[in-house]
Amino acid sequence: GGTTTIKIRGNSALSGTGQPLFVIDGAPLDGRTLQAGANPLNFLNPDDIETINVLKDASATAIYGSRAAYGVIIITTKKGRLGQPKITIGVTGGISSIAKKIQVLNPVQFREALKYYQVDSTFDKGGNTNAQNAILQDGIQHNYNMAITGGNENSKYRLSGNLLNNDGILRNSNLKKYGLLISGNFKFLESKKLGLDISLNANQFIQSGSVLENGSGFIIYQALKWNPTDSLRNADGTYRKMNDGNPLAQLDFLRSSFKVTTISGTASPYFKITNWLEYKMLFNVNYSTGISRSSVNQLISPPGQPPGSATVKNNELTTTQLTHTLNFEKEIFNGFRLNATAGFEYTKFIRKGFSASGNGRDSAGFGNFGLDYTNYIQYSSIVGRSIASFADPTSDLQSFFGRTIFNFREKYLLTATIRADGSSKFGKNNRYGYFPSFAGAWIISKETFLKIDFINLFKFRAGWGKTGNQEFPAGSAQARYSFFDGGVLRQFNNPNPDLKWQSDRQYNFGVDLLLFNEKLSLTVDYFNKQTTNLLFPGPPIQPAPPDAPLLWKNLAGKILNKGLEIQLTTFVINNKEYGLSLGLNATFLKNTVAGLPATIFTGFISSPVEVIQNGYPMNTFFTRKFLGLNKDGFSNYADSGVTFYHSGNPNPKILLGINPAFRLKNFSLTASLYGAFGQKVFFTPLMGIMNVGGISFGNNIGLAIYKNPEKESLQNPSQSPSTRFIFKGDYLRMSNLTLNYKIGDIKKTIKDANIYIAGQNLFTITKYPGFDPEINSDRSNNGIPSLGIDFLEYPPSRTFIVGLNFSL
């Protein structure tokens, strides 16, 4: 249920998420979520997905205009099929466990370290405790899918439902999902020229855990530094040190749940005016409401703090889209075919919500009634009780677009696209952005001069285009007003009516080859992408209104991403009984920043450790250069630690995918491996909680620290950021391995039965010391994202699944 980060053709997000646009059955998602860390695709059942297509070059993405700067991912769901009603059932069950643990001292090593460092011997409590194991569990999951399809030439339908119950590997964490999808395709009139496509997706997911909104890092931190000779429980079963870092107590007495209900409905009527001209309308409403509840039990409230707390939040998101398109497709004259589309689109975005919170009373707290505190906030302390509500400025996006595709004799293709987007987010001077693109393709293998038997296809492609970006908070560019204490309404920000659209220019050259009776396919692409008019949240212009937020402006400068993409697929054997294939893909990336007026600092730990600076990649590490320990066990830095150095690139330089498949009669074995190389990762726990100084207070330390032949002084100020904590992040991961057996039909009732066993995240080849080198935590500074800084987010798991699919 957690969020994912997807980067297409490099990192070009100076602000915002840098995430691609998701388009589901023609309706773009706006990418917003009701709570930080939630996945905007949680409402979608993977079993309902028919196809996924990734659009990367500007010619393909330009039709989506302002929201396509970071690529487009098009998801098409399954639809009804001709025939008698058919029921398809899928059942899976699985178990997950942690893929990798972080190495700290065991009890024997801890006792040795106490003696070596000559610290208080009473820190040896005589026990044997593995706190990492104590907070972990085997996560059991069940997933059930059922779909009914059928119909005739005039009406087809599909009804599907799913149920998922997934326990996490961290104790007390769970995800439940319930979904229902109904779709229909209908044709009317005797001519069948009038049609209607409809779908309704209703979904609810419930996440529960101890720390949903703020991440699980601090509980894992507590487990890593827990004294391995000290028990987590007293003799009577109660928790030791409940308000002093006991991770089990934190897991049991920090409660959090997040329930989101989403309803997405689409109606799309169309009418074929002639055989070559069609009108289509698409109307989509996507509504989500989320309720989050969190409470801190009074038993773990630190001394001096209010005894217990509770918070309830409710947020709502609404996106409404109306699209009109006119499609023309006709052969104009012999061999020349024209395909043209013109359209208008209007989208409206709304977000609002409220919250209520309270603290326990001075002595009695919330009491002990067996209820969660969020169920009786009204009896909290009057002093600590608060309510709040908000309504973000409504934003609108109005778009005009057109695309023309010229096809001459299936050999020469030319595409031209233009889109104009007008957004109410911008000030009055720059409401509209214009995004053109051009692309051409030449199928050389159809020319008479290239008639070679083993060449089945030889195609050359080239394209150029511009896309935009409006990823900043609504209301930032105009005068915005807010209520303050006493019901006073006053201006809340510095407006910027001259704020412009961020612009992404990209060109692309590519070659497609099919060889040896289509047994070998090869695709090679070179791309060059330049991002300018960079949207940037800077300090407000003074004099500024009280409590003014950041002032959004366009920075001079550019972000350059260029690279080479190679995809190779070969069918070594492909006959009725045997099959062997191999797919390989690799991307080589180079990222550079140029022309910025000043250096931008981000990636805060105790101080910023990353810079966005001319001549370097985005988010380059910038910190002290660690030269090792001196003879007294103190850190030695270049230039005595006064000078900071560029210390590594968190952006991968090479991406790799390997996909072998083997088939033997009814058995098939498929695998998926992927990796990234050339990037660096900042391993924060080694600096913050696993350093040698912790043992002075009876805390555990990292095994690598103690085993280091250059023993470190307890007084060494090792909590300062430096290259000591930057590691290579190279990895190759076996993400999926599936063995499938096709049972086939069983008598006359069960059809197309398959049984399979799958392993997910089976192993990762890496030298990185943390849970996972594939980092997805954000240490942003004023909206400027970080990259490659490991703050111990929810650890990855290794999962084994057994599944059965069949139809009736």
Side-chain angles (χ1 to χ4, degrees), residues 621-639:
F621 288 117
F622 187 71
T623 187
R624 301 172 183 86
K625 185 182 292 185
F626 179 70
L627 300 179
L629 300 172
N630 63 22
K631 60 183 180 61
D632 297 317
F634 285 86
S635 296
N636 188 15
Y637 301 104
D639 195 21

Side-chain angles (χ1 to χ4, degrees), residues 391-423:
D392 283 351
T394 299
S395 61
D396 306 79
L397 185 67
Q398 179 175 265
S399 309
F400 303 88
F401 56 90
R403 169 176 284 176
T404 304
I405 302 174
F406 303 93
N407 185 333
F408 184 60
R409 296 183 178 177
E410 301 296 330
K411 289 195 297 185
Y412 314 105
L413 298 97
L414 180 64
T415 302
T417 304
I418 181 68
R419 181 172 176 124
D421 279 334
S423 173

Side-chain angles (χ1 to χ4, degrees), residues 568-572 580-584 658-661:
L568 175 69
T569 303
T570 178
F571 296 93
V572 181
L580 177 62
S581 65
L582 177 64
L584 300 171
I658 306 172
N659 297 281

